[in-house]
Amino acid sequence: MTLPETYAGLAGSPAIAPSGVIVVTGGAGQGIGSGISRALAAVGWTVAIADRDISAARDVARDMRSDGMDAHAVEIDVSDEESVARAFSRAIPELGSLRGLVNNAGVGLVKKLAEVSVPEWDLLHAVDLRGAFLCSRAAIPDIIRNGGGGIVNIGSVQALGPHYGYSTYAAAKAGLIGLSRGIAADHGRDGIRCSIIHPGLVDSPQNREIFAAWGDPEEWIADYIGSRQMIPRLIRPDEVGAVAAFLLSDAGQSITATEIVIDGGSSRMAFDRTGDDE
């Protein structure tokens, strides 16, 4: 099996000792969820790809198995309490001992707050924040019974400093920061650690669809990474996956209540270079 260069060095490391099942919600997409799922499976975890689109989840799991990875599709609607309970009480236990969870499922919205409808607000928060609460609550008892493990939440740099039109999305992702710290505080003595990753501009089909609505996506990307990032390139999904794999491994067993930013330096730019002659 050929591993992406980003996390190939993790495989076989004595610090990476996967044993059990990791659930990745929203793992059927071609962006961050897929990158995380592959990174975890590449170092030896059994990955449950939990997604509302079960057909897409099965396709991703089948592709991963063809590459020698242990991956399985599980149907779930993270915003629905009964669906979450059903997945964590029936489908997931059949795969092995649950040792971790990545709350990645999410929807986006780019719209000024004054133009956001209540249904739009409710849908985004139901998936992005309530879904992480429901899945964490369902997973924690099993993780404790199986000897402990980790939870990784996927936030966003928008929670740290929202761009124009991202107020609703930023609010949900900021809520995830508090949820992550709360899980770490509530269950650290139960053997559970929890941290949050804040990706910046990730190269994904969903993001490219958004950029296309604003004009030429390649032109927009080039302008953004050239003027608003310290490292002028898009972030790859497997880079986010590599960090999640580290946090969920034995190497990350003393890391909890932590925020890790993967954004090419955009959230730390003291200025932007839009309009530079360089």
Side-chain angles (χ1 to χ4, degrees):
M1 176 176 58
T2 302
L3 306 182
E5 183 179 350
T6 304
Y7 48 79
L10 297 176
S13 167
I16 309 298
S19 175
V21 177
I22 300 284
V23 175
V24 180
T25 68
Q30 299 176 19
I32 294 174
S34 179
I36 292 171
S37 297
R38 284 185 166 274
L40 293 169
V43 297
W45 292 104
T46 296
V47 177
I49 300 170
D51 205 284
R52 185 171 61 178
D53 187 342
I54 188 61
S55 177
R58 285 170 177 155
D59 289 343
V60 173
R62 183 170 53 250
D63 289 345
M64 290 174 62
R65 287 195 299 271
S66 70
D67 290 333
M69 300 175 177
D70 191 0
H72 307 268
V74 174
E75 187 170 12
I76 192 171
D77 177 350
V78 299
S79 68
D80 181 81
E81 185 175 9
E82 291 185 3
S83 176
V84 170
R86 185 164 55 248
F88 279 88
S89 65
R90 300 178 188 174
I92 292 167
E94 294 178 358
L95 304 179
S97 299
L98 181 62
R99 297 299 301 275
L101 167 68
V102 180
N103 284 308
N104 171 72
V107 295
L109 178 69
V110 182
K111 184 180 287 190
K112 291 189 297 183
L113 186 66
E115 299 172 356
V116 175
S117 68
V118 170
E120 287 174 326
W121 173 277
D122 288 346
L123 172 62
L124 191 145
H125 283 73
V127 177
D128 292 27
L129 184 54
R130 184 172 187 259
F133 152 66
L134 289 174
C135 289
S136 297
R137 188 184 65 172
I140 284 169
D142 283 341
I143 296 174
I144 293 172
R145 279 194 293 270
N146 293 326
I151 295 174
V152 173
N153 292 321
I154 304 302
S156 170
V157 292
Q158 298 298 333
L160 309 178
H163 293 169
Y164 177 89
Y166 279 88
S167 52
T168 300
Y169 182 73
K173 293 300 186 178
L176 267 182
I177 297 174
L179 180 64
S180 302
R181 294 174 181 172
I183 291 170
D186 286 348
H187 296 288
R189 288 169 176 78
D190 297 323
I192 292 179
R193 56 197 188 274
C194 182
S195 290
I196 184 167
I197 297 173
H198 295 304
L201 190 60
V202 176
D203 191 359
S204 70
Q206 182 181 22
N207 277 340
R208 287 182 177 271
E209 285 181 12
I210 294 173
F211 307 151
W214 300 337
D216 184 337
E218 296 303 327
E219 183 178 330
W220 192 93
I221 290 168
D223 176 68
Y224 184 93
I225 63 177
S227 65
R228 299 179 183 273
Q229 289 187 189
M230 296 175 183
I231 301 172
R233 66 169 178 79
L234 287 175
I235 297 142
R236 300 190 308 273
D238 60 283
E239 293 177 295
V240 180
V243 175
F246 176 81
L247 290 171
L248 291 164
S249 75
D250 284 355
Q253 61 186 331
S254 293
I255 302 173
T256 196
T258 295
E259 297 175 61
I260 297 179
V261 180
I262 308 175
D263 70 344
S266 65
S267 60
R268 291 295 183 265
M269 284 284 279
F271 61 92
D272 75 62
R273 297 178 55 197
T274 304
D276 267 9
D277 293 329
E278 297 180 14

